Amino acid sequence: MSAEWQGQLKNSVLLILSLLALLSTAAPCFGKGPICRYVDANGVTHVCSPPVPSVPAIFIKMADGTQRRFSPAPQSYEGIIKAAGRAYRVDAALIKAVIRAESNFRPGAVSHKGARGLMQIMPANNAALDISNPFDPVQNIMGGTRHLKQLLVRYHKNTALALAAYNAGTSAVDKHCSIPPYPETRAYVSRVMEFYRQYKGS
């Protein structure tokens, strides 16, 4: 091996060692395995590296006293939505559309009228829908889907009327025998139906 080649090899080795030293200083967790844990909406513990992306989240106290972390991301609730859809025979795409319109997937949402959680359940309806904690995504989605199913049955699977009743109440829909002439309700029905079409097509 020539002296020139030996010199180039030595310089290459020194460069590699310098880069490794720099990495160990700048990123102390590099190569040390998992550096965080989190629990998803289904109660499954995940180990991750690098850390979970920084997104607004909420910690909800569950019935057993534990706290679980939920994020405002649609994929966090896919399992619950599908389970609710199967349980009450409601299209999962419609459930997701209602959640998006009601809370935009924020489990801790509270409206100015006092409606709570992902599907914005009014406190007066909690008992009838078997909800003890409206901020618990499982209870809220199951209860909200149960209510939506009742409305679909009442209005003979007319989705628009069921959505109008979800927003304005059954008395308003029954009084007008159609979507009530309220700007908020008409905009709500239009918005949910558009989301529904999007989710159905995806």
Side-chain angles (χ1 to χ4, degrees):
M1 183 181 293
S2 67
E4 183 181 353
W5 175 250
Q6 287 179 339
Q8 290 178 350
L9 180 61
K10 181 179 180 181
N11 289 337
S12 297
V13 171
L14 289 174
L15 178 61
I16 292 171
L17 291 174
S18 298
L19 288 172
L20 288 173
L22 180 62
L23 282 172
S24 65
T25 301
C29 292
F30 182 78
K32 292 186 179 180
I35 55 177
C36 68
R37 292 176 182 271
Y38 71 99
V39 179
D40 68 15
N42 297 314
V44 178
T45 300
H46 298 265
V47 179
C48 53
S49 177
V52 179
S54 178
V55 295
I58 183 171
F59 287 85
I60 296 174
K61 188 172 183 179
M62 310 305 287
D64 60 4
T66 61
Q67 285 195 334
R68 285 167 54 187
R69 177 185 184 278
F70 295 95
S71 66
Q75 60 269 25
S76 300
Y77 310 104
E78 287 288 348
I80 306 172
I81 291 170
K82 288 178 180 177
R86 288 192 300 269
Y88 294 104
R89 296 184 180 180
V90 175
D91 192 339
L94 179 59
I95 300 170
K96 191 184 296 186
V98 170
I99 293 173
R100 182 174 172 184
E102 290 287 350
S103 68
N104 201 23
F105 299 95
R106 293 178 294 117
V110 179
S111 77
H112 66 282
K113 294 181 179 179
R116 300 177 179 183
L118 289 162
M119 296 188 76
Q120 291 289 276
I121 308 299
M122 291 297 290
N125 295 328
N126 285 346
L129 298 175
D130 197 26
I131 296 174
S132 60
N133 178 6
F135 299 116
D136 176 344
V138 175
Q139 290 189 28
N140 194 286
I141 294 175
M142 283 294 181
T145 302
R146 179 179 174 182
H147 180 48
L148 186 58
K149 175 65 174 184
Q150 292 169 348
L151 295 174
L152 287 167
V153 170
R154 182 184 182 111
Y155 296 108
H156 308 287
K157 298 183 181 180
N158 186 315
T159 303
L161 288 183
L163 292 173
Y166 196 99
N167 175 262
T170 56
S171 59
V173 174
D174 293 346
K175 176 182 177 181
H176 296 278
C177 297
S178 64
I179 298 174
Y182 311 148
E184 177 189 335
T185 300
R186 293 194 168 182
Y188 173 83
V189 172
S190 177
R191 188 165 67 253
V192 176
M193 292 300 290
E194 177 57 30
F195 294 154
Y196 185 29
R197 282 190 287 272
Q198 291 176 18
Y199 289 131
K200 285 285 283 186
S202 62

